[in-house]
Amino acid sequence: MKRDFLTLWDLSSQEINLLLKRAIELKSGKDAHKCPLIGRSIALLFEKASTRTRVSLEVGIYQLGAKAIYMNPKEIQLGRGETVRDTAKVLSRYLDAIVIRTYSHNTLIEFASNSSIPVINGLSDLHHPCQALADLMTILEKKKRLKGIRLAYIGDGNNVANSLLEAASRMGINFTIACPKGYEPDTDILKRARDAAKSEIFIMRDPGKAVDRADALYTDVWVSMGQEKDTKTKQAKFKGYQINNTVLSYAKKDAIVLHCLPAHRGEEITEDVLDGPQSVVIDQAENRLHTQKALLEFLLTRPIREKK
Ligand code: CP
Ligand code: NVA
């Protein structure tokens, strides 16, 4: 049975733990010369710009022995009106897996339901689950545990926040988001995460309160790709929702600072914090490579769903 990775719910908590363990092994150099996916082909169908997701996947796929094929929807017949359904059915006959970065999360669902190969979400309007895997790995690496960690997210309840919230709920991380009214995480995602949570999930307005005694602080851009027309409104609404030295001083002394990148320095985070000693953003970006290799290896070599 093929397995997709569209959201954090597509893996059990036990599978997430296994995958993080494997990513740590791969990072240490274990199995560096094994090519478990030799002879396989994996496409990246990207409707939006990308530095980390694209390059870490292309490199990771190469290191696993497979071939990566990068496709811009405008350059294939999809861009001329061929349906998602037909594209999914045809590409399933050539490829072993596909990673899609798209606007509407429904496109991913439609693609996945019409394809016989694993479909991986490389970012949609609602989710960024590959990012959340690297976020979990980074927290685990730096704090040596996930359960009971206090994670504070300051800013927009966007795709990155939604996936982080799901990851926190699954792994027993206490999650607090501080955001302006109207910019909370998606209602359905929040409800499901809260219903299943092994930890506490709070939404509040005050960034200072949200980071109180936090082990890890996280932020992302105020204006995501595709929202450029809302830039002025969002810049006004999010004033004050910034990770800076004052906000950081309310967290634990050894708190780490995460950001999925790219960052807008001086907006959601100040330059001194982003480049400061508590920032782990470059390790976090590196961990995209290791977690995605572990994910691909898992989806392409162990497709049976394990018992929860
Ligand atoms: N964090 C992240 O997904 O970065 P890219 O947009 O560069 O892929
Ligand atoms: N929220 C951002 C994340 C980029 C990696 C966006 O969707 O543009």
Side-chain angles (χ1 to χ4, degrees), residues 212-280:
D212 180 36
R213 290 173 293 130
D215 298 292
L217 277 61
Y218 200 120
T219 188
D220 182 21
V221 290
W222 296 337
V223 181
S224 287
M225 288 181 276
Q227 300 180 338
E228 290 75 11
K229 60 173 185 356
D230 302 328
T231 301
K232 285 236 151 66
T233 317
K234 288 191 102 175
Q235 280 173 338
K237 290 265 184 196
F238 281 86
K239 232 175 182 221
Y241 288 88
Q242 182 189 64
I243 297 187
N244 51 38
N245 274 317
T246 309
V247 167
L248 188 55
S249 72
Y250 300 130
K252 285 189 184 156
K253 288 274 162 293
D254 61 351
I256 53 170
V257 177
L258 297 112
H259 191 308
C260 59
L261 302 177
H264 286 173
R265 290 161 183 259
E267 287 195 4
E268 76 276 4
I269 190 161
T270 53
E271 185 131 42
D272 50 359
V273 173
L274 190 69
D275 297 334
Q278 287 168 267
S279 169
V280 296

Side-chain angles (χ1 to χ4, degrees), residues 4-50:
D4 299 312
F5 184 56
L6 304 189
T7 78
L8 265 291
W9 294 105
D10 290 325
L11 296 174
S12 68
S13 307
Q14 190 196 355
E15 286 169 341
I16 296 172
N17 270 322
L18 280 176
L19 211 141
L20 295 176
K21 205 172 144 209
R22 180 63 179 148
I24 291 168
E25 265 179 17
L26 290 169
K27 185 171 185 175
S28 77
K30 188 166 190 277
D31 297 336
H33 304 292
K34 281 196 185 155
C35 294
L37 302 187
I38 201 149
R40 311 283 190 105
S41 302
I42 301 167
L44 313 181
L45 180 58
F46 277 32
E47 250 182 299
K48 295 178 178 178
S50 171

Side-chain angles (χ1 to χ4, degrees), residues 78-197:
L78 191 62
R80 294 183 56 248
E82 184 166 16
T83 62
V84 168
R85 217 169 93 180
D86 287 349
T87 308
K89 286 183 177 167
V90 171
L91 292 182
S92 295
R93 299 290 175 99
Y94 306 138
L95 298 166
D96 295 281
I98 186 163
V99 187
I100 301 177
R101 173 168 282 206
T102 187
Y103 287 91
S104 166
H105 192 72
N106 286 331
T107 305
L108 272 160
I109 294 173
E110 192 184 352
F111 201 107
S113 60
N114 284 287
S115 80
S116 54
I117 54 170
V119 177
I120 296 167
N121 182 355
L123 181 144
S124 65
D125 55 353
L126 279 183
H127 297 271
H128 198 1
C130 289
Q131 180 65 54
L133 289 180
D135 302 340
L136 288 176
M137 177 177 174
T138 311
I139 296 170
L140 183 59
E141 243 181 350
K142 305 292 176 190
K143 295 286 159 196
K144 310 293 175 219
R145 68 190 168 106
L146 293 177
K147 203 165 184 292
I149 286 288
R150 295 166 73 98
L151 171 63
Y153 180 100
I154 311 299
D156 193 18
N158 60 16
N159 43 10
V160 168
N162 286 334
S163 288
L164 194 64
L165 164 66
E166 290 185 342
S169 156
R170 312 236 48 199
M171 305 314 286
I173 295 174
N174 298 306
F175 184 81
T176 304
I177 172 167
C179 62
K181 198 165 168 29
Y183 295 92
E184 295 83 7
D186 177 83
T187 316
D188 294 337
I189 292 172
L190 179 62
K191 185 177 180 320
R192 189 171 179 191
R194 271 203 167 128
D195 287 349

